[in-house]
């Protein structure tokens, strides 16, 4: 039986075009069939009608970079640099197992859903030997929450003994990393428009991965028709290490290895020269901007206005819960706005540009802009409905300013493929209480293992 959902009376922000102060969005069987001003076209009886009065309707938010496993280690090493924070955290993370990852995925994705997120890319790169099927545990937990998972299957093969940052106990062999990544693609990657699970190839970073793994990963991804992801240019330490070891900048190193292109996106990209920005834009390479994490770790501020001016694809990411704690994806719109303006003045980034980063920009970065990121007929019915008529929000005339300039408004409804995931601030799939309990259990289990 077909299923129709009608939202009426909302301020509809399509992101890729018009706005309707009193508009409608209609979806049928998970796909948007009508968007426009005024009441929706008459539909058959039995449709689900959602009263959008007092709300702003936007596309569901798209998270381009996350580390869900870090839910279990929030609040630690609070004053460390990135490298200091990583060194301390690896002493805990090397005890990860499938049960812990299942719990952190439940908690992390539930929290993201409550912040308006309908698609999340998770960069998981720690696979200790003999600790269970971590990939499958994450995929199954994500399906229970009900938002789309882009699993960036990460890897590291360069431990401390090889000049890398992570301890040897947590890295894979080159062959093991490539084999494990290929298996994840075979088992879980769904390229369809309505896909709830996609897999990308994602070696961790230049300071934890060999040249051979970077090039092998690129070959694997292009052979299988999936995307490539890694951390790049996050700190000045990384810049210095790349120059000392490879005689070039991180972006130049990536280009030498075949790691620029329409199928590639980098996390952070904080320290970019004008020339690097030009190469990223010219090659269609994407950037996941993680403002809260970069500020928390003192890494710097990504040159987002310059990237956008050059025509680069830029989306938002929350990064790991252990480096951004409980900042949701909607909060990153606010942070991105402030960071850009702190650098370049009050016209550096507008409210609507910030919303676009979190929606259509993110969909472009993940290669899903044909089906996600805007309220457009033919795209998936991923819709966030934000209540902007409550105390404080009701005096702001522009609902997009209300959404991005201050505290996040209450989330009235979240639809993923037309299915309700959040209703009036409450999860309707996995309960928030269950997700929180699983997150706490994962934290206790990991910390106990680490303390043995």
């Amino acid at each position: 039986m077909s299923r129709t959902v009608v939202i009426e009376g909302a301020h509809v922000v399509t992101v890729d075009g018009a706005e309707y102060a009193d508009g409608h969005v209609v979806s049928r069987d998970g796909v948007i069939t009508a968007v426009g001003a005024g009441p929706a076209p008459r539909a058959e009886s039995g449709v689900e009608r959602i009263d959008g009065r007092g709300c702003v309707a936007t596309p569901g938010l798209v998270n381009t970079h996350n580390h869900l496993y870090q839910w279990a280690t929030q609040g630690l090493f609070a004053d460390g640099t990135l490298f200091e924070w990583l060194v301390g955290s690896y002493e805990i993370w090397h005890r990860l197992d499938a049960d812990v990852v299942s719990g952190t995925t439940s908690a992390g994705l539930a929290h993201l859903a409550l912040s308006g997120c309908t698609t999340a890319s998770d960069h998981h790169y720690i696979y200790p030997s003999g600790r269970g099927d971590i990939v499958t545990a994450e995929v199954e937990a994500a399906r229970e929450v009900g938002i789309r998972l882009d699993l960036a299957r990460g890897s590291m093969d360069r431990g401390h003994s090889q000049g890398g940052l992570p301890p040897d106990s947590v890295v894979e062999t080159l062959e093991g990393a490539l084999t494990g990544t290929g298996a994840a693609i075979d088992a879980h990657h769904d390229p369809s428009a309505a896909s709830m699970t996609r897999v990308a190839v994602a070696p961790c970073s230049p300071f934890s991965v060999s040249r051979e793994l970077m090039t092998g990963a690129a070959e694997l991804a292009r052979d299988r028709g999936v995307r490539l992801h890694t951390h790049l240019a996050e700190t000045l330490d990384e810049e210095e290490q790349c120059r000392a070891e490879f005689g070039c900048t991180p972006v130049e190193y990536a280009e030498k290895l075949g790691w620029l292109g329409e199928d590639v996106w980098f996390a952070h990209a904080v320290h970019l020269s004008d020339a690097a920005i030009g190469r990223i834009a010219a090659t269609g390479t994407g950037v996941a901007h993680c403002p809260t994490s970069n500020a928390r770790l003192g890494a710097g501020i990504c040159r987002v206005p310059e990237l956008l001016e050059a025509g680069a694809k830029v989306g938002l990411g929350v990064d790991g819960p252990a480096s951004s704690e409980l900042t949701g994806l909607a909060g990153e719109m606010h942070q991105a706005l402030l960071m850009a303006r702190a650098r370049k003045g009050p016209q550096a980034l507008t409210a609507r540009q910030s919303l676009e980063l979190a929606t259509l920009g993110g969909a472009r970065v993940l290669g899903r802009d044909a089906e996600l990121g805007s309220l457009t007929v033919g795209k998936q019915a991923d819709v966030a409905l934000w209540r902007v008529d409550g105390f404080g929000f009701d005096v702001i005339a522009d609902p997009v300013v209300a959404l991005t300039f201050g505290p996040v408004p209450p989330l009235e409804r979240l639809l993923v493929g037309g299915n309700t995931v959040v209703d009036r601030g409450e999860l309707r799939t996995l309960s928030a209480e269950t997700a929180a309990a699983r997150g706490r259990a994962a934290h206790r289990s990991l910390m106990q293992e680490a303390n043995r």
Side-chain angles (χ1 to χ4, degrees), residues 84-98:
E84 291 167 345
W85 174 83
L86 281 171
V87 169
S89 296
Y90 278 132
E91 295 305 314
I92 304 171
W93 295 340
H94 79 282
R95 303 302 298 171
L96 279 172
D97 61 23

Side-chain angles (χ1 to χ4, degrees), residues 65-403:
H65 184 68
N66 206 173
H67 303 294
L68 291 169
Y69 73 88
Q70 292 180 15
W71 186 274
T73 57
Q74 294 181 73
L76 302 179
F77 315 107
D79 301 317
T81 65
L82 172 64
F83 279 21
E84 291 167 345
W85 174 83
L86 281 171
V87 169
S89 296
Y90 278 132
E91 295 305 314
I92 304 171
W93 295 340
H94 79 282
R95 303 302 298 171
L96 279 172
D97 61 23
D99 289 341
V100 167
V101 170
S102 177
T104 57
T105 301
S106 295
L109 290 185
H111 188 263
L112 282 170
L114 290 168
S115 76
C117 177
T118 51
T119 300
S121 179
D122 184 53
H123 188 189
H124 189 100
Y125 52 84
I126 296 180
Y127 293 91
S129 178
R131 308 295 286 181
D133 189 344
I134 287 174
V135 168
T136 298
E138 181 168 353
V139 170
E140 291 178 350
R143 287 177 180 163
E144 192 173 7
V145 175
I147 71 174
R148 303 183 197 276
L149 175 68
D150 182 287
L151 177 56
R153 202 290 187 183
S155 54
M156 299 185 294
D157 71 335
R158 189 181 179 201
H160 187 71
S161 65
Q162 300 298 315
L165 192 66
D168 291 346
S169 60
V170 82
V171 302
E172 299 175 277
T173 64
L174 171 63
E175 181 181 0
L178 293 174
T179 299
T181 304
I185 297 168
D186 292 340
H188 301 293
H189 180 67
D190 175 6
S192 70
S195 172
M196 295 298 292
T197 309
R198 289 196 179 177
V199 179
V201 178
C204 181
S205 64
F207 51 81
S208 58
V209 170
S210 68
R211 179 188 292 264
E212 292 75 17
L213 181 50
M214 290 291 285
T215 56
E219 292 170 1
L220 172 64
R222 286 160 182 154
D223 179 64
R224 301 296 183 89
V226 301
R227 298 179 73 75
L228 282 163
H229 181 50
T230 193
H231 298 92
L232 201 80
E234 185 174 358
T235 66
L236 288 173
D237 290 341
E238 179 187 338
E239 172 97 6
E240 293 169 1
Q241 180 172 339
C242 274
R243 286 187 180 278
E245 188 170 352
F246 307 122
C248 58
T249 69
V251 171
E252 289 168 343
Y253 180 61
E255 186 161 25
K256 288 179 179 180
L257 300 180
W259 267 76
L260 294 184
E262 294 279 352
D263 57 350
V264 179
W265 84 103
F266 298 137
H268 306 299
V270 173
H271 299 281
L272 299 178
S273 66
D274 291 346
I277 288 174
R279 291 304 296 149
I280 285 173
T283 55
T285 305
V287 170
H289 174 38
C290 305
T292 297
S293 176
N294 293 157
R296 197 264 204 196
L297 293 168
I301 303 173
C302 179
R303 299 176 65 192
V304 170
E306 291 91 337
L307 284 161
L308 294 177
E309 185 176 356
K313 298 182 294 190
V314 184
L316 294 182
V318 302
D319 204 16
S323 65
S324 66
E325 276 64 34
L326 289 177
T327 302
L329 192 54
E332 297 293 355
M333 289 192 290
H334 178 64
Q335 293 284 60
L337 191 75
L338 297 188
M339 292 292 183
R341 292 179 173 213
R343 284 189 59 246
K344 300 278 289 182
Q347 296 179 359
L349 198 70
T350 69
R352 282 163 178 77
Q353 284 178 305
S354 183
L355 175 60
E356 183 172 344
L357 291 177
T359 52
L360 187 56
R364 290 181 182 125
V365 166
L366 297 185
R368 300 201 66 175
D369 47 309
E371 64 262 13
L372 304 176
S374 64
L375 300 181
T376 304
V377 172
K379 288 194 175 186
Q380 297 297 304
D382 289 9
V383 186
L385 199 61
W386 311 88
R387 183 153 294 285
V388 292
D389 60 353
F391 180 34
F393 299 104
D394 55 349
V395 299
I396 301 176
D398 185 335
V400 183
V401 170
L403 176 61

